[in-house]
Amino acid sequence: MAMQKWFTEAKLGIFIHWGIYAVDGVAESWSFYGGQVSHAQYMKQLDGFTASGYDPKAWADLIAKAGARYAVLTARHHDGVSLWDSAESDLTVVKRTPAGRDLLTGYTEALREQGLKVGLYYSHSDWNHPDYASIVHTDPPNEDVRTNPLVAPREGAEDPVAWQRYLDYRDAQVRELVDAHRPDLLWFDGEWERSEEQWRMRELAEQIRSLSPGTILNARMLSYGDYATPEQGLPVEAPDGPWELCLTINDSWGYQHADGNHKSVGQLVRLFTETIGMGGNLLLDVGPKEDGTIPSEQADRLLGLGDWIARHEEAVYGTAAGLPAGHHYGPSTLSADGRTLYLVCFGIPHETVSLRGLRTPVKRVSVLGRGSELGHRVTGGLGDVPGVLWIDAPADGLVDAYATVLAVELEGELDLYRGKGRD
């Protein structure tokens, strides 16, 4: 399926990791997998998960104010606890927690009321399912996948019948999600624990496409994914095709009481502009508390990022990746018609801002959102090698607190020199 246009135009999505792990503030699923807490202690969190303050309309309002165009909620993580009333499992927040109700429908409806696209996260793996640890990866990527008792059968004693039961369970749960919500995006995870053939990815992709042809899939559907999902680290070179950087606001995906290491609004603006300048989307993660409220430290940062985006919408939405590295000291984006460059400047520009390798003559330069025109001139240049464009630094009163954007209007479509100069 061709990538949906809305995704490449969205620029920002909000990832929401919400589950029973928020009760004690432990790592989602991984805390019992790695032994930081016992399995019994982890599962006891079912008793404390209330969703008592859950207001999906407030979530959707915050997501919209952040400038995001879509969100992705963890419908089921590796711990197997489903946020909806699955007919395939008793391990759901409806049947096993004080929340006692489906938590996906309100989310889906609230997002769509705001005109936002709906994403659902679902893990291929389920470390609580009795049939999951029944076969071994045909080419294990690490020792854990080969030997961990939550993943592989003890002493390699495989049970293909049990594995088929597990696949039937997974496929049925995915069918429930697609039937009920027709998600715009399905964000899969856990794929490293089996091969593509063992997962029967082709059959799963065909099932999803037959039910909801417009649903896009991330790369954790392996060969059947529509876009790449680098995680927690901005790539130095952009992945091929559409992509999205998934990133936490602090150091944790889910809510962890002790994690106060939040990125500042300025750092989020920098990471966001660097991501869209390379042609990707940012999927920025928040971790609601067990009651469903988003911590104020995280909500405030979303609002701060949204305020910056609102001041610079022209440089965000409807743009493509900007200049390759080496032309400008900072990220940039390019208008859809290829005739306006948006240069992002961090800190306070002094004297001049330089732009190298620009062949297209410049018509006008201004501070985006302020309308103030800036002087500019070209020095040097020889033959095919263009000179350097120097743009007068904006006055102090025109500088944005987080990142100033200069709109460089060109006489024609962008034409760059990428050579090595004269011998």
Side-chain angles (χ1 to χ4, degrees):
M1 185 196 77
M3 168 55 69
Q4 297 290 325
K5 188 179 180 184
W6 71 260
F7 180 84
T8 52
E9 293 180 345
K11 307 303 179 184
L12 179 65
I14 303 301
F15 213 171
I16 306 169
H17 274 68
W18 189 33
I20 65 169
Y21 37 87
V23 174
D24 291 343
V26 295
E28 60 294 331
S29 307
W30 291 99
S31 53
F32 77 83
Y33 177 95
Q36 286 79 30
V37 300
S38 69
H39 181 263
Q41 184 179 345
Y42 184 93
M43 298 310 293
K44 194 173 187 309
Q45 294 177 104
L46 288 164
D47 299 335
F49 187 77
T50 67
S52 59
Y54 176 42
D55 182 352
K57 290 189 176 184
W59 280 15
D61 183 59
L62 176 62
I63 291 164
K65 285 178 178 174
R69 297 291 173 87
Y70 66 107
V72 178
L73 172 62
T74 49
R76 179 177 74 64
H77 208 267
H78 315 312
D79 61 11
V81 181
S82 301
L83 297 189
W84 78 101
D85 191 14
S86 176
E88 301 301 318
S89 173
D90 287 334
L91 189 53
T92 75
V93 297
V94 183
K95 297 165 184 163
R96 297 284 300 277
T97 77
R101 66 191 191 280
D102 163 49
L103 301 176
L104 297 187
T105 301
Y107 157 84
T108 298
E109 292 174 348
L111 258 59
R112 289 191 167 134
E113 284 174 10
Q114 286 276 8
L116 302 169
K117 298 296 185 181
V118 172
L120 294 173
Y121 166 111
Y122 183 87
S123 173
H124 292 292
S125 58
D126 182 342
W127 297 331
N128 260 314
H129 196 284
D131 291 323
Y132 183 63
S134 53
I135 64 169
V136 181
H137 194 305
T138 52
D139 185 18
N142 55 55
E143 186 66 11
D144 249 15
V145 167
R146 193 177 70 81
T147 62
N148 190 294
L150 295 175
V151 178
R154 294 184 185 279
E155 300 175 356
E158 294 191 299
D159 184 347
V161 175
W163 179 243
Q164 182 57 55
R165 286 197 302 266
Y166 179 78
L167 290 178
D168 291 343
Y169 151 79
R170 179 206 59 177
D171 293 352
Q173 282 207 318
V174 172
R175 192 178 306 114
E176 287 179 338
L177 292 174
V178 175
D179 280 342
H181 304 288
R182 291 294 188 268
D184 301 288
L185 185 158
L186 277 172
W187 210 104
F188 285 95
D189 201 5
E191 81 296 339
W192 66 89
E193 294 190 331
R194 302 285 187 264
S195 70
E196 182 168 308
E197 293 73 23
Q198 288 172 317
W199 283 127
R200 300 190 185 166
M201 289 297 197
R202 180 178 62 79
E203 291 86 345
L204 179 60
E206 288 174 352
Q207 170 186 297
I208 295 166
R209 302 292 192 217
S210 67
L211 295 169
S212 183
T215 297
I216 60 174
L217 310 173
N218 71 334
R220 299 173 193 199
M221 280 292 289
L222 301 175
S223 297
Y224 299 92
D226 297 309
Y227 68 95
T229 54
E231 184 173 329
Q232 289 290 60
L234 187 67
V236 176
E237 294 185 12
D240 294 333
W243 62 281
E244 153 197 274
L245 170 66
C246 37
L247 183 80
T248 52
I249 283 186
N250 53 11
D251 293 330
S252 309
W253 294 105
Y255 176 66
Q256 294 194 30
H257 313 68
D259 185 356
N261 192 29
H262 294 89
K263 299 169 181 68
S264 68
V265 173
Q267 289 171 327
L268 293 175
V269 168
R270 181 182 288 261
L271 288 161
F272 174 65
T273 54
E274 288 175 341
T275 300
I276 66 172
M278 294 170 67
N281 290 352
L282 177 62
L283 185 63
L284 184 60
D285 179 76
V286 297
K289 299 178 182 180
E290 65 80 18
D291 66 359
T293 59
I294 294 173
S296 59
E297 300 90 343
Q298 300 192 4
D300 289 347
R301 283 162 172 79
L302 292 188
L303 293 173
L305 176 58
D307 286 345
W308 185 89
I309 292 173
R311 296 194 297 272
H312 302 91
E313 281 193 359
E314 185 183 317
V316 175
Y317 307 118
T319 63
L323 300 165
H327 291 274
H328 161 63
Y329 291 108
S332 60
T333 58
L334 180 66
S335 62
D337 64 4
R339 299 172 73 97
T340 303
L341 270 171
Y342 301 99
L343 307 181
V344 180
C345 302
F346 301 123
I348 300 174
H350 295 288
E351 187 183 358
T352 52
V353 174
S354 66
L355 181 57
R356 299 183 298 283
L358 181 63
R359 284 195 175 113
T360 318
V362 173
K363 182 164 56 176
R364 182 175 183 269
V365 181
S366 60
V367 182
L368 189 62
R370 304 299 183 102
S372 303
E373 191 163 350
L374 301 176
H376 58 91
R377 70 206 63 83
V378 175
T379 62
L382 178 65
D384 287 339
V385 184
V388 176
L389 173 70
W390 302 95
I391 301 167
D392 293 341
D396 289 349
L398 301 175
V399 174
D400 187 89
Y402 300 120
T404 305
V405 180
L406 308 183
V408 181
E409 299 172 42
L410 307 174
E411 296 283 1
E413 291 187 18
L414 176 67
D415 183 15
L416 290 178
Y417 173 75
R418 298 287 292 159
K420 296 181 179 179
R422 184 177 174 182
D423 292 336

